[in-house]
Amino acid sequence: HHECMTKAQDFEAETKSRGEELQALAAAKEAIKENVGGADALSYGLNQVALVQTGSRITSRAGLAQFEAARLIRDLARKQQSPELAQLAVRISSAIRSGSKLGEDVFAKIKGLIVDMVEKLEKEVEEDATKKAWCDKELAESHEKKDDKTNEIEKLSTQIDKMSARS
C-alpha cells in the first residue's frame, strides 16, 4: 500500500517535471523557428558557414537562435536537475560546433535531437502511466480486501460476543 502511494506521488512529480521539459523543448524549437525565419529549410554549403555559430562567436540570427536553444535547454536542465536535458544541451552544442565546421544542416540536427528527446519523454510518460494504472488497480483491490476482512472481523467479533454472553 505504502509503495503504491509513493509510486503515485513519484508519478505526479515526474509528470509535472516532464511537462516542464516538454514545454522547454517546445520553446527551444519555437525560438529556432522564429529566429531563422525559414532558414531551417535551406541547405548550407561550406561557403555559407558564416551563417552559423563558429567557435564562441555568434555571427548571425541563425547562430543566435542555435545558441539560445542550447542555452535554454541547459538552463532548464540545471533548474530541473535533469541529466537527460543536460545531455541534450551538450548534444545540441556539439551538433552546432560540428555542423558549422562541416557545413551540415545544423537546424535539422537540432530539431532531430529535440524530436528524439520528446519521443523518449512521451514513451516514458506512457510507461509510467501504465505502471500507475497497475498500482492504482492493486491499491483499490487491497482496499477492497481490507474492507472485506474488516467486515468479517466485525461479524466474527459479534458472534463471539453473543456466544460469550450465552455461556
Side-chain angles (χ1 to χ4, degrees):
H1 168 72
H2 177 67
E3 183 180 327
C4 282
M5 291 302 291
T6 302
K7 284 184 180 182
Q9 291 170 344
D10 290 346
F11 173 78
E12 295 299 323
E14 287 174 10
T15 301
K16 180 181 178 195
S17 176
R18 284 204 180 93
E20 291 172 352
E21 289 174 356
L22 288 171
Q23 285 176 344
L25 290 171
K29 189 174 179 182
E30 189 62 30
I32 291 171
K33 281 183 181 178
E34 287 176 5
N35 290 318
V36 297
D40 59 334
L42 299 176
S43 173
Y44 297 100
L46 288 174
N47 59 343
Q48 296 170 316
V49 104
L51 291 174
V52 292
Q53 179 180 352
T54 56
S56 62
R57 209 168 120 223
I58 298 173
T59 58
S60 71
R61 288 181 68 193
L64 179 61
Q66 295 164 359
F67 172 78
E68 189 64 24
R71 186 196 59 78
L72 182 75
I73 293 172
R74 186 176 54 248
D75 290 349
L76 182 68
R78 284 186 191 128
K79 179 182 172 190
Q80 296 292 321
Q81 298 177 345
S82 170
E84 293 87 2
L85 282 177
Q87 186 178 33
L88 177 63
V90 169
R91 286 181 178 169
I92 287 174
S93 296
S94 176
I96 291 169
R97 281 191 302 277
S98 68
S100 64
K101 289 178 185 175
L102 301 173
E104 295 176 349
D105 186 359
V106 177
F107 301 110
K109 280 188 172 188
I110 292 173
K111 283 183 182 179
L113 291 171
I114 291 172
V115 167
D116 291 346
M117 179 65 147
V118 169
E119 288 173 356
K120 178 183 173 193
L121 290 171
E122 287 174 344
K123 182 180 177 193
E124 288 176 3
V125 166
E126 186 177 313
E127 290 170 357
D128 286 348
T130 302
K131 285 181 187 177
K132 184 180 182 316
W134 176 84
C135 198
D136 288 346
K137 178 182 147 260
E138 291 294 315
L139 188 60
E141 288 175 3
S142 294
H143 283 299
E144 186 178 328
K145 287 179 185 177
K146 179 184 171 203
D147 291 344
D148 289 346
K149 296 296 180 186
T150 301
N151 289 338
E152 188 175 334
I153 289 172
E154 288 175 10
K155 286 179 186 177
L156 293 174
S157 294
T158 303
Q159 286 178 352
I160 290 172
D161 289 344
K162 284 181 183 178
M163 290 181 166
S164 295
R166 287 182 194 165
S167 36

